[in-house]
Amino acid sequence: MAPSFDWWAKDSHRGTPVVVKMENPNWSMLELEGPSEGDFLITDSPSRLGRDKSRNKNAKQLTWVLLLKAHKAAGCLTSIATAMVTLGSAINRRIHSGRTDFETTDIDRENENPKVKKRFYTFIKIFLGLSVFLLGFEVAAYFKGWHFGAPHLQLQYLLAMPFGFQDIFDSLYSQWVLFRVEYLAPPLQFLANACIVLFLIQSIDRLVLSLGCFWIRLKNIKPILKQDAVTDLESGENGFFPMVLVQIPMCNEKEVYQQSIAAVCNLDWPKSKILIQVLDDSDDPSTRLLIKEEVNKWQQAGAHILYRHRVIRDGYKAGNLKSAMNCSYVKDYEFVAIFDADFQPTPDFLKRTVPHFKGNEDVGLVQARWSFVNKDENLLTRLQNINLAFHFEVEQQVNGIFINFFGFNGTAGVWRIKALEDSGGWLERTTVEDMDIAVRAHLHGWKFIFLNDVECQCELPESYEAYRKQQHRWHSGPMQLFRLCLPAIIRSKISIWKKFNMIFLFFLLRKLILPFYSFTLFCIILPMTMFIPEAELPAWVVCYIPATMSFLNILPAPKSFPFIVPYLLFENTMSVTKFNAMVSGLFQLGSAYEWVVTKKSGRSSEGDLLSLVKKETKHQRGSSEPNLEELKEEIMQQDKKEKKKKKHNRIYMKELALAFLLLTASARSLLSAQGIHFYFLLFQGVSFLLVGLDLVGEQVQ
């Protein structure tokens, strides 16, 4: 009698149980048993028995493998569907809200001319309208039999065609082809070749910097303390502890003032050798009161800290720092450490930076690198982390090691006060006062040291609006400064090599050429070559070199390798903002003088500064609570005002117009069967679309 095939009867099962876990919550967990005796039929031939046994076993394994694959596919489809629904609802909210980047705030109206702001957008719209018209024209020609693949246009064949037998459309299109071949393709190809040359030069610069960083790692090169400085550190309180002034400039940053003040007040430095200045430029009464109360609390706890508020707030951050340096007691101090309001130095920060000045009388600045408490918050912060990791570990470290010069980052650095005074002090003439003072100090012969192993935690902008404004300031300011500093650089007594490095590499190549060719080559010339196929961009320009450069950029942040493609697309997307800022700064347009404090979220370092909680609790016990009722009333009034000012996402019109321009060009590239160009334009257009709809950063529900 044949054995029974009762799968549900546990007693008849043999073998090793296998548990299969279904990740999708709509699926249950199944327990699979090994094969039973009834799974195999006994025959007269032992070899046939083995073959049947193996066949049945393989069939069951294949069945379950296929089932697992189907489950994974179903899970992926479910995830994609959920993501698409979420994306669709976000787009719907954005469109219905109708808020665009052309809705200016009071601060924007003071700093920017709306006509200047819309001029660049009008230029892009003209290109978009022209591309849509040409796409329709090319599609009609395609269906009429005009199949020209770029760049193999047979002009001789076109000239030999019998024009007398053509209809009106064929005549118009043939004239258009001859016109673009004769008049449009040559200048476009010349411009493309010029941008390719600039692209190659900038790529070589990036490669040289990466090789320099590799050499530093290979040889373990780093700034070394003088022997007497090392001895002083080991000798404790009797060591090298010069007078240090610590400045915390801030403006309406009530989200972060507590953690920055607490971190600075816990710096491990003799109390008699340090003075902390909280430089508050806030124009909000409740924020001023909160900061002042925090300073009073730390004063009563024994910290050597002062609160300063300017009535006349000229010059933004540079004016704030300049005003603080004019205090009479500053002459008693030798060094000044500067921390922005969202920076949280570790207690040993001064002990790891200040000793580098001893025995190096020509060193004017010691700069630490930044680390970020919110680098994994969203896609935007991850992409920023890639950029800044390369900036610190490659650009600044290599320049610091080999030429002792780099741009001061404005915070997390210690200056020799004599170097500041020798260079003319803080000036309010640009929006990049930190780069300004660094350039002038370098021209006066001061050297800089970058410490890649000393980190200071801070925040990254989490919303695209905040990041966009920050990047506009960072790219318009250097062009302002270049106009002002060029005569001084030429007249300075530094070596010709240092002049070349500062003019060509520091300013022109990295601040002007980079945003120029990024926007012109990939956002204007590449789409135009789709409609004028006689001018071409090689595949290695569109794909291979950008991919290689993105690979080099991402090396200092190896955990970000999964984001290499989004990073490449996002950098090209940001080129429109950087190009606009560069032009504004170079030609001194209205938006070049726009200064907006980067919005902070108030995220503290890991553990939320747990090491400071007990200490702050003790401080509060011994302190009085002056004006508590008044403070509560001010805060309540401020909260009511903020509830009226709701946060929202915007639609960015320039990015949106460029998205449709690139998508139109990708549609045209299909007619010429250009594979790499099509995919690049398609994905780049989608990237612009996502950024234009403000879907890459913080999402406000």
Side-chain angles (χ1 to χ4, degrees):
M1 183 177 180
S4 173
F5 291 94
D6 295 333
W7 287 94
W8 56 86
K10 293 185 178 180
D11 294 339
S12 63
H13 288 201
R14 293 181 182 179
T16 304
V18 179
V19 177
V20 180
K21 184 177 180 182
M22 301 298 186
E23 297 177 356
N24 193 314
N26 297 325
W27 296 70
S28 60
M29 291 183 63
L30 301 177
E31 183 175 306
L32 310 182
E33 298 283 345
S36 65
E37 292 180 355
D39 295 337
F40 311 105
L41 296 177
I42 301 177
T43 61
D44 296 335
S45 172
S47 60
R48 184 176 179 181
L49 174 63
R51 286 197 301 270
D52 292 342
K53 183 176 180 180
S54 176
R55 187 181 301 114
N56 290 337
K57 183 177 181 181
N58 292 338
K60 289 184 178 181
Q61 289 176 344
L62 180 62
T63 301
W64 283 109
V65 168
L66 293 176
L67 180 61
L68 290 174
K69 295 290 184 183
H71 163 257
K72 287 184 178 181
C76 290
L77 291 175
T78 304
S79 302
I80 293 173
T82 304
M84 294 304 294
V85 170
T86 304
L87 181 63
S89 62
I91 294 174
N92 186 53
R93 286 197 308 270
R94 204 78 76 252
I95 294 174
H96 280 291
S97 69
R99 298 182 183 274
T100 68
D101 55 328
F102 289 114
E103 296 179 7
T104 56
T105 62
D106 294 336
I107 297 176
D108 295 333
R109 292 190 189 98
E110 294 175 2
N111 295 288
E112 188 170 4
N113 187 343
K115 293 182 180 179
V116 173
K117 187 174 183 179
K118 293 184 179 181
R119 196 174 298 162
F120 188 42
Y121 175 56
T122 303
F123 171 77
I124 297 174
K125 283 199 301 182
I126 292 173
F127 269 97
L128 174 60
L130 185 62
S131 67
V132 171
F133 171 76
L134 289 177
L135 177 62
F137 195 36
E138 294 289 344
V139 170
Y142 183 83
F143 286 105
K144 291 278 288 184
W146 293 81
H147 299 167
F148 293 119
H152 306 293
L153 178 61
Q154 301 296 329
L155 188 57
Q156 295 83 358
Y157 172 75
L158 180 64
L159 294 173
M161 290 181 64
F163 287 97
F165 297 97
Q166 292 180 336
D167 58 19
I168 296 177
F169 180 85
D170 288 336
S171 178
L172 284 175
Y173 189 77
S174 62
Q175 292 300 319
W176 158 244
V177 173
L178 290 172
F179 176 77
R180 75 191 190 195
V181 169
E182 187 72 20
Y183 299 104
L184 297 182
L188 181 61
Q189 188 66 62
F190 175 80
L191 183 60
N193 292 339
C195 287
I196 290 173
V197 171
L198 296 177
F199 182 30
L200 291 175
I201 294 173
Q202 198 274 335
S203 300
I204 292 172
D205 174 62
R206 189 63 54 98
L207 179 61
V208 170
L209 287 174
S210 299
L211 291 175
C213 182
F214 174 75
W215 182 259
I216 290 172
R217 282 196 171 190
L218 182 65
K219 298 296 184 179
N220 195 26
I221 303 173
K222 60 177 62 177
I224 301 176
L225 293 173
K226 300 287 185 180
Q227 185 59 41
D228 53 349
V230 175
T231 305
D232 287 338
L233 280 178
E234 295 173 350
S235 62
E237 295 184 359
N238 298 322
F240 179 63
F241 291 103
M243 299 289 284
V244 177
L245 181 68
V246 181
Q247 297 177 331
I248 314 175
M250 57 180 64
C251 180
N252 296 325
E253 294 171 287
K254 66 179 181 181
E255 299 88 358
V256 292
Y257 74 95
Q258 281 185 311
Q259 60 199 42
S260 62
I261 293 176
V264 171
C265 286
N266 281 276
L267 287 171
D268 188 8
W269 204 255
K271 299 295 183 183
S272 60
K273 301 285 188 177
I274 187 173
L275 173 64
I276 302 167
Q277 288 180 317
V278 177
L279 311 177
D280 183 21
D281 257 6
S282 303
D283 56 5
D284 172 45
S286 63
T287 303
R288 290 203 306 267
L289 193 56
L290 287 169
I291 296 173
K292 194 170 184 178
E293 288 293 328
E294 184 72 13
V295 172
N296 289 337
K297 182 185 74 175
W298 283 100
Q299 283 178 341
Q300 295 175 12
H304 200 189
I305 183 170
L306 297 176
Y307 174 85
R308 281 180 54 85
H309 175 72
R310 292 193 303 161
V311 178
I312 302 176
R313 300 167 55 246
D314 292 335
Y316 301 110
K317 180 180 176 181
N320 197 0
L321 294 172
K322 182 179 180 180
S323 173
M325 293 300 292
N326 289 331
C327 295
S328 59
Y329 52 78
V330 172
K331 65 179 184 298
D332 299 328
Y333 293 84
E334 188 176 354
F335 303 101
V336 55
I338 302 172
F339 301 100
D340 282 350
D342 60 317
F343 278 71
Q344 304 160 33
T346 55
D348 63 346
F349 181 88
L350 293 180
K351 285 188 173 181
R352 300 180 67 184
T353 53
V354 174
H356 286 275
F357 289 100
K358 186 168 186 181
N360 297 310
E361 297 301 323
D362 56 349
V363 171
L365 168 68
V366 175
Q367 173 73 62
R369 70 172 294 169
W370 303 354
S371 60
F372 310 104
V373 297
N374 60 338
K375 62 182 179 182
D376 297 323
E377 183 64 24
N378 55 42
L379 178 61
L380 179 61
T381 58
R382 291 177 185 272
L383 299 179
Q384 291 179 69
N385 180 57
I386 296 172
N387 249 343
L388 291 170
F390 184 87
H391 171 69
F392 291 119
E393 189 157 344
V394 179
E395 289 181 343
Q396 292 210 312
Q397 182 175 212
V398 170
N399 287 316
I401 291 292
F402 292 109
I403 60 176
N404 299 118
F405 169 71
F406 48 83
F408 174 46
N409 297 322
T411 178
V414 183
W415 276 95
R416 190 188 296 272
I417 294 180
K418 183 181 178 182
L420 290 177
E421 295 172 346
D422 185 42
S423 306
W426 298 103
L427 299 180
E428 308 98 320
R429 55 182 181 173
T430 70
T431 57
V432 283
E433 75 293 325
D434 44 10
M435 185 182 294
D436 188 357
I437 189 65
V439 169
R440 286 184 282 119
H442 184 60
L443 294 180
H444 282 79
W446 292 98
K447 295 181 179 180
F448 302 162
I449 292 177
F450 181 78
L451 301 178
N452 191 55
D453 57 345
V454 179
E455 297 184 357
C456 189
Q457 288 193 319
C458 62
E459 287 187 19
L460 290 166
E462 295 181 7
S463 69
Y464 179 68
E465 181 182 12
Y467 179 64
R468 189 169 178 258
K469 290 180 177 179
Q470 181 197 68
Q471 292 300 303
H472 188 280
R473 177 165 56 88
W474 285 4
H475 286 82
S476 64
M479 290 298 97
Q480 292 176 305
L481 183 61
F482 179 64
R483 288 170 54 96
L484 297 170
C485 285
L486 183 58
I489 296 173
I490 296 174
R491 294 193 305 264
S492 65
K493 297 179 181 180
I494 60 177
S495 65
I496 295 179
W497 155 244
K498 289 185 177 180
K499 290 182 181 180
F500 171 80
N501 172 72
M502 184 170 287
I503 294 175
F504 181 72
L505 296 180
F506 184 75
F507 277 114
L508 291 181
L509 186 60
R510 297 166 190 163
K511 304 296 189 296
L512 188 148
I513 291 176
L514 177 58
F516 171 77
Y517 85 74
S518 296
F519 174 75
T520 307
L521 188 62
F522 296 110
C523 300
I524 299 297
I525 294 178
L526 178 59
M528 288 180 67
T529 58
M530 299 299 103
F531 299 101
I532 308 175
E534 298 75 26
E536 62 170 327
L537 282 180
W540 56 268
V541 173
V542 177
C543 179
Y544 303 130
I545 291 186
T548 304
M549 292 301 103
S550 297
F551 177 79
L552 292 177
N553 279 18
I554 215 167
L555 282 177
K559 293 183 179 179
S560 302
F561 266 102
F563 302 95
I564 187 169
V565 174
Y567 171 73
L568 170 61
L569 298 173
F570 182 71
E571 279 301 289
N572 288 335
T573 305
M574 283 303 299
S575 66
V576 60
T577 297
K578 296 175 181 179
F579 177 83
N580 188 27
M582 182 268 293
V583 173
S584 299
L586 192 61
F587 298 102
Q588 295 184 313
L589 303 180
S591 60
Y593 298 95
E594 180 182 1
W595 179 290
V596 180
V597 177
T598 305
K599 184 67 176 175
K600 312 296 191 309
S601 62
R603 301 184 188 277
S604 60
S605 58
E606 187 176 354
D608 201 19
L609 296 175
L610 289 175
S611 60
L612 305 178
V613 172
K614 294 182 180 180
K615 190 174 291 189
E616 290 188 27
T617 305
K618 293 178 182 178
H619 296 163
Q620 291 174 353
R621 288 175 183 172
S623 61
S624 61
E625 298 180 342
N627 301 324
L628 185 59
E629 295 300 326
E630 182 182 349
L631 177 62
K632 288 182 179 179
E633 185 178 349
E634 287 278 356
I635 294 174
M636 290 176 63
Q637 291 178 358
Q638 186 66 21
D639 288 341
K640 290 180 181 178
K641 292 179 182 179
E642 290 182 355
K643 286 180 181 179
K644 295 179 181 178
K645 299 178 182 178
K646 293 182 179 179
K647 282 178 74 175
H648 52 262
N649 296 101
R650 298 176 182 269
I651 296 175
Y652 296 95
M653 302 305 296
K654 289 194 289 289
E655 286 83 349
L656 214 56
L658 280 168
F660 292 121
L661 172 63
L662 292 168
L663 292 174
T664 303
S666 69
R668 171 62 183 89
S669 69
L670 280 176
L671 303 181
S672 302
Q674 294 174 285
I676 291 179
H677 296 71
F678 165 72
Y679 288 115
F680 181 87
L681 288 167
L682 176 64
F683 290 126
Q684 192 63 69
V686 171
S687 175
F688 267 103
L689 185 64
L690 295 176
V691 172
L693 293 172
D694 199 3
L695 297 172
V696 296
E698 181 185 20
Q699 300 299 302
V700 181
Q701 300 297 328

